[in-house]
């Protein structure tokens, strides 16, 4: 068989596995699926390779934390991440008409006022709690906003993900990448707002401080906002317990006023990173610690934990 046929067979098999996973968790219902995901990941997570990645990240951010403290934080991290795994197939329970049963929204006047004035804005977010709930809150408020997402390599699975997000109210989604970036620029030019995640490593971004260490960070959100004079509005989500969440819109992060364009972008990106740091410090167990936020050398088996200038307490 040709490579094309083999690839299509592989895609079909992956899509079947995806459908089975979704149906299994949907059959449990939201609360049971969330609890099951927690129990499963708290047991399985520590045996995976990304458990070590999470520990290294925590050591860099909290260098003064003891091993028992980090162990407890890792356990709570897997609790949150496991719940997310169980909840995402059940996101229909957060669609606009029933969102208030499990979700709260704070600071919505910030974006609703901008919408009333016809002022486009750039929402910047991070991978906190169950970040899909932020999209549900955007849908609940019916904001004129295009949300970016990382598309799946398998087009069949990618379509399923898009369909599931449309089902709980998200109207506009743009895949990350060059074409997506052009679409977002056009959105802002036409008066539409955009939403982007800004807390993961971006190899072609810029080096900006994050918990006292230089980290490659996406500069796109800052550049787009500064180019169009759009306010940078941070949005975060906190798990309040079980399957209940609060999504918060924060006061806009000011654009840098430095004359040097590169320095201005760096100052603005640094301010965004600082906002992310503050949200992590509020609920460290609810951040996506398993992402390799720093250079790959940090995560080599022979790499020791490095010192930090950050406060480092949890």
């Amino acid at each position: 068989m040709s490579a094309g046929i083999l690839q299509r067979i592989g895609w079909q098999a992956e899509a079947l596995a995806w459908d089975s996973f979704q149906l299994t968790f949907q059959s449990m219902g939201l609360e049971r699926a969330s609890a099951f995901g927690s129990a499963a990941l708290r047991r399985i997570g520590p045996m995976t390779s990304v458990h070590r990645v999470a520990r290294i990240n925590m050591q860099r951010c909290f260098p003064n934390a003891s091993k028992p403290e980090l162990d407890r934080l890792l356990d709570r991290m897997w609790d949150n991440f496991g719940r997310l795994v169980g909840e995402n197939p059940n996101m229909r329970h957060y669609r606009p008409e029933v969102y208030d049963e499990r979700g709260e929204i704070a600071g919505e006047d910030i974006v609703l006022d901008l919408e009333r004035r016809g002022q486009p804005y750039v929402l910047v977010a991070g991978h906190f709690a169950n970040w899909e709930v932020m999209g549900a809150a955007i849908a609940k408020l019916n904001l004129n906003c295009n949300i970016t997402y990382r598309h799946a390599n398998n087009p069949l699975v990618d379509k399923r993900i898009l369909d599931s997000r449309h089902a709980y109210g998200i109207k506009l989604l743009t895949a990350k990448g060059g074409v997506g970036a052009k679409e977002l620029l056009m959105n802002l030019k036409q008066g539409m707002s955009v939403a982007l995640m800004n807390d993961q490593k971006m190899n072609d971004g810029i080096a900006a401080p994050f918990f006292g260490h230089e980290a490659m960070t996406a500069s796109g959100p800052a550049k787009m906002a500064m180019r169009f004079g759009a306010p940078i509005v941070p949005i975060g989500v906190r798990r309040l317990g079980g399957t209940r969440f609060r999504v918060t819109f924060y006061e806009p992060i000011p654009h840098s006023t430095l004359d040097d364009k590169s320095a201005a972008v760096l100052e603005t990106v640094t301010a965004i990173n600082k906002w992310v740091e503050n949200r992590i410090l509020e609920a460290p167990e609810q951040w996506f610690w398993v992402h390799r936020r720093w250079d790959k050398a940090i995560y080599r088996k022979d790499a020791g934990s490095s010192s930090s200038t950050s406060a480092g307490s949890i």
Side-chain angles (χ1 to χ4, degrees):
M1 290 187 287
S2 68
I5 294 175
L6 288 174
Q7 185 177 58
R8 287 195 293 272
I9 292 174
W11 283 342
Q12 291 285 356
E14 289 175 355
L16 180 60
W18 175 268
D19 291 342
S20 298
F21 170 82
Q22 296 287 303
L23 289 172
T24 297
F25 279 97
Q26 288 170 5
S27 68
M28 295 180 186
L30 177 63
E31 279 74 21
R32 284 182 59 209
S34 177
F36 179 84
S38 167
L41 266 292
R42 288 176 71 186
R43 178 179 293 271
I44 298 170
M47 295 185 286
T48 65
S49 61
V50 293
H51 185 78
R52 179 176 174 275
V53 171
R55 182 181 292 277
I56 291 172
N57 285 336
M58 290 176 184
Q59 288 171 336
R60 287 175 69 78
C61 295
F62 308 122
N64 299 325
S66 66
K67 184 179 183 301
E69 287 176 322
L70 292 180
D71 287 342
R72 286 191 293 271
L73 179 54
L74 284 161
D75 179 66
R76 296 198 300 270
M77 176 202 74
W78 286 119
D79 166 64
N80 177 76
F81 191 55
R83 288 184 178 279
L84 178 152
V85 170
E87 290 156 0
N88 282 4
N90 291 283
M91 285 300 297
R92 65 186 183 279
H93 293 287
Y94 297 94
R95 63 192 188 277
E97 59 267 31
V98 296
Y99 178 90
D100 291 338
E101 294 177 12
R102 297 177 178 84
E104 302 175 10
I105 302 177
E108 63 269 35
D109 287 348
I110 294 170
V111 286
L112 292 178
D113 180 60
L114 292 171
E115 296 252 330
R116 282 191 292 268
R117 293 192 281 117
Q119 170 65 64
Y121 49 86
V122 175
L123 287 179
V124 292
H127 291 80
F128 305 109
N130 184 334
W131 50 87
E132 292 287 333
V133 178
M134 290 188 289
I138 290 171
K140 166 68 177 177
L141 296 176
N142 195 31
L143 301 181
N144 183 28
C145 184
N146 193 346
I147 301 173
T148 60
Y149 80 103
R150 186 179 299 280
H151 70 84
N153 293 331
N154 183 331
L156 301 179
V157 172
D158 192 61
K159 184 178 185 305
R160 284 160 167 77
I161 293 172
L162 288 173
D163 289 344
S164 69
R165 286 172 172 162
H166 290 316
Y168 67 82
I170 296 180
K171 298 176 182 177
L172 295 170
L173 285 155
T174 294
K176 293 182 179 180
V179 175
K182 291 179 181 178
E183 183 175 339
L184 296 180
L185 289 171
M186 184 60 66
N187 290 155
L188 288 169
K189 185 176 182 180
Q190 295 173 345
M192 181 183 294
S193 301
V194 299
L196 308 95
M197 292 292 196
N198 208 173
D199 64 334
Q200 293 194 334
K201 183 182 179 185
M202 179 68 72
N203 290 328
D204 57 355
I206 61 175
F210 185 65
F211 279 101
H213 303 275
E214 293 292 290
M216 297 303 294
T217 307
S219 59
K223 288 180 177 178
M224 284 191 289
M226 296 169 76
R227 175 176 175 179
F228 291 96
I232 301 172
V233 181
I235 175 177
V237 58
R238 175 81 66 85
R239 184 183 298 277
L240 302 179
T243 60
R244 188 164 186 81
F245 299 88
R246 178 188 298 118
V247 172
T248 301
F249 295 90
Y250 293 80
E251 290 294 334
I253 294 173
H255 298 182
S256 172
T257 58
L258 294 175
D259 292 332
D260 182 271
K261 183 177 180 180
S262 296
V265 170
L266 175 59
E267 186 172 74
T268 305
V269 170
T270 298
I272 294 172
N273 274 0
K274 188 63 179 177
W275 175 83
V276 174
E277 285 183 29
N278 290 336
R279 302 292 77 74
I280 293 172
L281 291 172
E282 289 174 354
E285 73 281 3
Q286 295 190 25
W287 191 52
F288 192 64
W289 290 98
V290 298
H291 172 70
R292 296 174 186 262
R293 186 65 182 88
W294 285 280
D295 188 86
K296 60 184 179 181
I298 299 299
Y299 305 98
R300 291 174 184 157
K301 290 188 179 298
D302 58 348
S305 61
S306 58
S307 60
S308 172
T309 58
S310 61
S313 59
I314 54 176

